[in-house]
Amino acid sequence: MNADTYGTPRVLVLGGYGLIGSGIVAELQNGGFDPVGFGRSQRTALKVHKSLEWRFGDLRDFQVAADWSVYLEGIDFVVNAAGALQDGPEDDLQAVHVTAISALAQACAERDIGLVQVSAAGVSQDAKTSFFRTKAEGDKAVEAAGGRTWILRPGLVLAQTGYGGTALLRMLSAIPFVQPLALKDTPIQSVGLPDVARAVRACLDKTIAPNTTADLVEETAHSLGSLQKQMRDWLGFEPARLEIPLPRFLLRPVGAVADGLGRLGWRSPLRSAALLTLQDGIKGDPKTWQGLGGAPMKNLPEILAQMPARAEDRVSARMALLMPICVAALALFWFLSGIIGLARISVAAQTLIDVGWPSFLAQASVGFWALVDIALAVAILWRKTARQACIGMSAVCMIYLVSASVVTPALWLDPLGPLVKIMPAFILSLVTLALLEKR
């Protein structure tokens, strides 16, 4: 036992700033444990849990048990709440769900460190999606390591914060007047984040015997249509006046577009992995957990009742719906601005020539800033540079306004209002910058 001098068990929580991980950290802090966070981004980690001790690393770099040695020093238990939905620029499912976790399980077994693996209900090595297949392979590796392990498989996790599939449900709920929905009859079994966190604590408290595997789901499944309706009602939005059923054949092209955006770093909840998962439903068997002595999971109405929706939840749902529109609008605006500037460089340069600039210098200035506009339009489409692009856009707007006010002040009186129209672009870039905040 590596408990600290006060006898408090120390728990390393992988994915400690994620949706599930952050809930587990909070539960452990209130339950007599000393959680230690593990994550990839120091910036995000310190925003979510500033006072928590953190150990940083990228799961893609953990190949063998020895790679975990430094991270497991002084640790009594490990909870793996890390994961990714689909392969992408920053995600490798095989590495994150299988290779790193297999090495972790071996390292924990060698040191007699208990390991709780948070997996997913319905995982199978024959599943349609790489997410379920790699999760199942990771679960198998945990079992094969031979240590003290618990494998918990939650259904659709509902929390005060929306993320992934639940964020999509909130976005759809925010659409006024109508309710578009596909796969409305798909069965879904939910679980509240507090119940998942308490289940993890029950394992660490030894209420649940080690070397067990159990689903964490409510007793009765709900259709996706019913879940969406209850989510809309929970948020406090008006009931939809018209429900628009979306045919299944649209799912493939929608998923393909979302996957394309995923290659640019955008983790859309509409990616093909999520849609394929919904086609089969999210189901589990609650009896195994209860047979082990675990407390029953709350049902959907109880889950929603224990976390009343706030005004910020409604704003967040609306903003999540508008965010891709804002990004697309900014990309189009700045791209067209640059292209038109290049295409009509002589006309645009004439304004500067009229106030005394040499023709060559005027055209060079117009051409340079047109290329800057195009570069910003491209940069905002790549998730990794979108934030910097928004900052650049707001800065360039100010440069345009200040320089034009000094060099060509008469443009303020132009009937087409070219300078006045810069202000909405400036404001939109700042709004989008705020919407890009990950957590």
Side-chain angles (χ1 to χ4, degrees), residues 288-342:
T288 301
W289 173 253
Q290 295 175 29
L292 293 169
M297 302 293 110
K298 291 181 175 61
N299 60 34
L300 179 58
E302 292 171 332
I303 295 170
L304 297 178
Q306 73 178 354
M307 51 178 198
R310 306 156 299 182
E312 51 264 40
D313 293 316
R314 288 183 284 277
V315 171
S316 177
R318 292 187 177 108
M319 292 298 97
L321 185 65
L322 290 174
M323 195 266 279
I325 299 174
C326 292
V327 171
L330 284 172
L332 183 62
F333 172 80
W334 287 88
F335 180 76
L336 290 179
S337 174
I339 290 296
I340 292 171
L342 290 177

Side-chain angles (χ1 to χ4, degrees), residues 349-359 361-362 407-408:
Q350 190 61 48
T351 302
L352 296 175
I353 294 172
D354 290 343
V355 296
W357 282 44
S359 176
L361 184 59
V407 179
T408 56

Side-chain angles (χ1 to χ4, degrees), residues 159-357:
Q160 192 74 60
T161 302
Y163 190 73
T166 58
L168 175 61
L169 293 175
R170 295 185 185 207
M171 289 168 57
L172 292 174
S173 298
I175 299 175
F177 309 119
V178 299
Q179 185 64 78
L181 188 65
L183 307 170
K184 62 175 294 185
D185 296 323
T186 297
I188 304 290
Q189 282 174 283
S190 304
V191 61
L193 178 56
D195 278 347
V196 175
R198 281 191 286 269
V200 170
R201 195 180 79 176
C203 295
L204 304 186
D205 278 336
K206 301 179 182 178
T207 302
I208 304 299
N211 305 318
T212 57
T213 299
D215 295 331
L216 303 179
V217 293
E218 60 183 323
E219 288 278 354
T220 306
H222 301 263
S223 69
L224 182 57
S226 172
L227 175 58
Q228 179 65 72
K229 184 176 180 180
Q230 292 184 65
M231 182 68 70
R232 189 179 185 113
D233 181 64
W234 170 74
L235 283 166
F237 293 127
E238 291 292 328
R241 298 178 184 177
L242 177 65
E243 185 177 284
I244 303 176
L246 301 178
R248 279 179 174 260
F249 70 81
L250 286 179
L251 298 181
R252 185 181 293 274
V254 167
V257 171
D259 287 349
L261 293 174
R263 296 186 181 93
L264 295 176
W266 300 96
R267 295 177 173 180
S268 168
L270 288 171
R271 285 180 291 173
S272 57
L275 296 179
L276 281 172
T277 299
L278 285 178
Q279 287 185 42
D280 290 337
I282 301 175
K283 298 168 289 185
D285 181 3
K287 294 184 178 62
T288 301
W289 173 253
Q290 295 175 29
L292 293 169
M297 302 293 110
K298 291 181 175 61
N299 60 34
L300 179 58
E302 292 171 332
I303 295 170
L304 297 178
Q306 73 178 354
M307 51 178 198
R310 306 156 299 182
E312 51 264 40
D313 293 316
R314 288 183 284 277
V315 171
S316 177
R318 292 187 177 108
M319 292 298 97
L321 185 65
L322 290 174
M323 195 266 279
I325 299 174
C326 292
V327 171
L330 284 172
L332 183 62
F333 172 80
W334 287 88
F335 180 76
L336 290 179
S337 174
I339 290 296
I340 292 171
L342 290 177
R344 306 198 65 191
I345 191 168
S346 298
V347 175
Q350 190 61 48
T351 302
L352 296 175
I353 294 172
D354 290 343
V355 296
W357 282 44

Side-chain angles (χ1 to χ4, degrees), residues 380-436:
I380 200 173
L381 293 176
W382 190 22
R383 182 64 179 87
K384 191 174 183 178
T385 57
R387 187 173 182 274
Q388 291 84 346
C390 287
I391 295 172
M393 288 172 178
S394 59
V396 170
C397 284
M398 288 297 98
I399 291 172
Y400 287 164
L401 287 174
V402 172
S403 59
S405 297
V406 173
V407 179
T408 56
L411 285 178
W412 282 107
L413 301 178
D414 189 300
L416 295 180
L419 296 187
V420 174
K421 292 174 182 175
I422 292 177
M423 294 306 298
F426 173 71
I427 297 300
L428 184 59
S429 66
L430 294 180
V431 170
T432 305
L433 177 63
L435 296 179
L436 289 169

Side-chain angles (χ1 to χ4, degrees), residues 76-232:
D76 302 294
F77 296 97
V78 177
V79 177
N80 175 32
L85 176 64
Q86 192 166 329
D87 287 323
E90 298 182 359
D91 297 313
D92 182 333
L93 297 190
Q94 187 68 28
V96 172
H97 292 167
V98 184
T99 306
I101 302 311
S102 177
L104 173 65
Q106 293 174 39
C108 288
E110 291 170 2
R111 294 163 177 78
D112 193 30
I113 295 174
L115 172 60
V116 178
Q117 161 86 337
V118 180
S119 184
V123 300
S124 165
Q125 291 183 292
D126 299 322
K128 294 179 182 178
T129 68
S130 295
F131 171 78
F132 274 168
R133 290 195 300 270
T134 54
K135 272 291 188 181
E137 194 175 344
D139 292 354
K140 186 177 180 181
V142 168
E143 292 176 329
R148 290 181 294 125
T149 63
W150 297 262
I151 299 175
L152 304 180
R153 294 172 171 169
L156 179 67
V157 179
L158 300 178
Q160 192 74 60
T161 302
Y163 190 73
T166 58
L168 175 61
L169 293 175
R170 295 185 185 207
M171 289 168 57
L172 292 174
S173 298
I175 299 175
F177 309 119
V178 299
Q179 185 64 78
L181 188 65
L183 307 170
K184 62 175 294 185
D185 296 323
T186 297
I188 304 290
Q189 282 174 283
S190 304
V191 61
L193 178 56
D195 278 347
V196 175
R198 281 191 286 269
V200 170
R201 195 180 79 176
C203 295
L204 304 186
D205 278 336
K206 301 179 182 178
T207 302
I208 304 299
N211 305 318
T212 57
T213 299
D215 295 331
L216 303 179
V217 293
E218 60 183 323
E219 288 278 354
T220 306
H222 301 263
S223 69
L224 182 57
S226 172
L227 175 58
Q228 179 65 72
K229 184 176 180 180
Q230 292 184 65
M231 182 68 70
R232 189 179 185 113

Side-chain angles (χ1 to χ4, degrees), residues 14 38-41 55-69 71 89-104:
L14 276 60
F38 175 95
R40 180 166 53 183
S41 169
R55 300 178 183 182
F56 297 103
D58 190 326
L59 289 177
R60 294 174 295 182
D61 298 331
F62 291 78
Q63 302 292 317
V64 295
D67 293 335
W68 285 101
S69 297
Y71 296 87
E90 298 182 359
D91 297 313
D92 182 333
L93 297 190
Q94 187 68 28
V96 172
H97 292 167
V98 184
T99 306
I101 302 311
S102 177
L104 173 65

